[in-house]
Amino acid sequence: LGLVHEIIPMSDDSVKTVLLTDEGELSMQRYFVDRRAEPKVSEVRYTGAEVAEASPGLRDALDRATALVLCPSNPYLSLGPILAIPTIRQAMRDFSGKRICVSPIVGGDAVKGPAGKIMTELGKEVSCVEIAREYQDICDVLVIDRRDRNLATQIEEMGITPLVTSTIMETEEDKIALAREIVELME
């Protein structure tokens, strides 16, 4: 699709994801890999995030970017540590280009992984509407699956434009089609 990108760390500082569970405190790797996301989660902490700074590469990328896309990743284990760094979240709030987020929740559950389970255990609604709430301050357009079209009005009421499309990527063609729609939004 003509996209070229670098892979840049969020920070050069240490940020550790720690989950408070019914088995005690677990590191993200221990929870996710060793315990296969089985323990019940009551809280997610990002130790060190409060003093971490965005990496110089990320700051530069945000300064040069004309659009941001948050992929359909787990809001607590994947994007959470990044967004917990105050300077990064503020930079995304202040970003002047289009901010696009793709919901990882379809039809009331995570497409893949434990996001839906964690949301339930944290007392949150497992829906693209909750994803809109999580990202309300950093999202202009929320891409949601056709199965959730009935929730588009609730997302609009939050000041976010919903884009209803097919977000399930089972084939290479599905991936390309969704990527093209997002690229079109960016232009």
Side-chain angles (χ1 to χ4, degrees), residues 62-138:
L62 288 171
D63 288 343
R64 290 183 291 120
T66 57
L68 292 178
V69 178
L70 296 183
C71 297
S73 296
N74 186 308
Y76 308 102
L77 303 183
S78 300
L79 295 174
I82 300 167
L83 299 175
I85 297 174
T87 56
I88 294 176
R89 186 125 195 170
Q90 190 60 51
M92 291 183 177
R93 280 185 197 112
D94 297 341
F95 188 76
S96 62
K98 192 168 284 186
R99 302 166 303 172
I100 303 162
C101 301
V102 183
S103 177
I105 303 297
V106 175
D109 201 4
V111 174
K112 183 179 178 184
K117 174 188 173 294
I118 292 170
M119 292 172 86
T120 297
E121 292 167 354
L122 293 176
K124 297 179 182 277
E125 173 186 344
V126 183
S127 75
C128 60
V129 174
E130 185 63 35
I131 297 300
R133 285 185 198 107
E134 295 280 339
Y135 301 146
Q136 188 170 6
D137 62 330
I138 58 169

Side-chain angles (χ1 to χ4, degrees), residues 23-187:
E23 295 181 9
E25 281 191 10
L26 298 175
S27 69
M28 197 287 284
Q29 287 299 320
R30 175 117 193 218
Y31 169 80
F32 192 73
V33 178
D34 184 44
R35 297 295 298 122
R36 298 189 172 143
E38 291 174 5
K40 183 177 178 183
V41 175
S42 58
E43 186 180 345
V44 181
R45 293 184 187 154
Y46 307 103
T47 305
E50 63 283 351
V51 295
E53 292 291 331
S55 70
L58 180 57
R59 285 194 306 265
D60 181 57
L62 288 171
D63 288 343
R64 290 183 291 120
T66 57
L68 292 178
V69 178
L70 296 183
C71 297
S73 296
N74 186 308
Y76 308 102
L77 303 183
S78 300
L79 295 174
I82 300 167
L83 299 175
I85 297 174
T87 56
I88 294 176
R89 186 125 195 170
Q90 190 60 51
M92 291 183 177
R93 280 185 197 112
D94 297 341
F95 188 76
S96 62
K98 192 168 284 186
R99 302 166 303 172
I100 303 162
C101 301
V102 183
S103 177
I105 303 297
V106 175
D109 201 4
V111 174
K112 183 179 178 184
K117 174 188 173 294
I118 292 170
M119 292 172 86
T120 297
E121 292 167 354
L122 293 176
K124 297 179 182 277
E125 173 186 344
V126 183
S127 75
C128 60
V129 174
E130 185 63 35
I131 297 300
R133 285 185 198 107
E134 295 280 339
Y135 301 146
Q136 188 170 6
D137 62 330
I138 58 169
C139 181
D140 300 312
V141 178
L142 182 64
V143 181
I144 65 172
D145 193 77
R146 288 185 176 111
R147 287 182 242 179
D148 294 319
R149 72 174 53 92
N150 60 316
L151 302 173
T153 303
Q154 290 179 58
I155 293 165
E156 270 181 324
E157 289 169 355
M158 286 184 248
I160 298 171
T161 302
L163 170 65
V164 179
T165 189
S166 178
T167 64
I168 303 298
M169 297 174 277
E170 295 175 328
T171 67
E172 191 71 18
E173 292 79 24
D174 295 341
K175 294 172 187 177
I176 291 169
L178 181 58
R180 280 203 169 114
E181 283 193 76
I182 292 169
V183 169
E184 287 174 13
L185 278 173
M186 293 166 51
E187 293 173 343

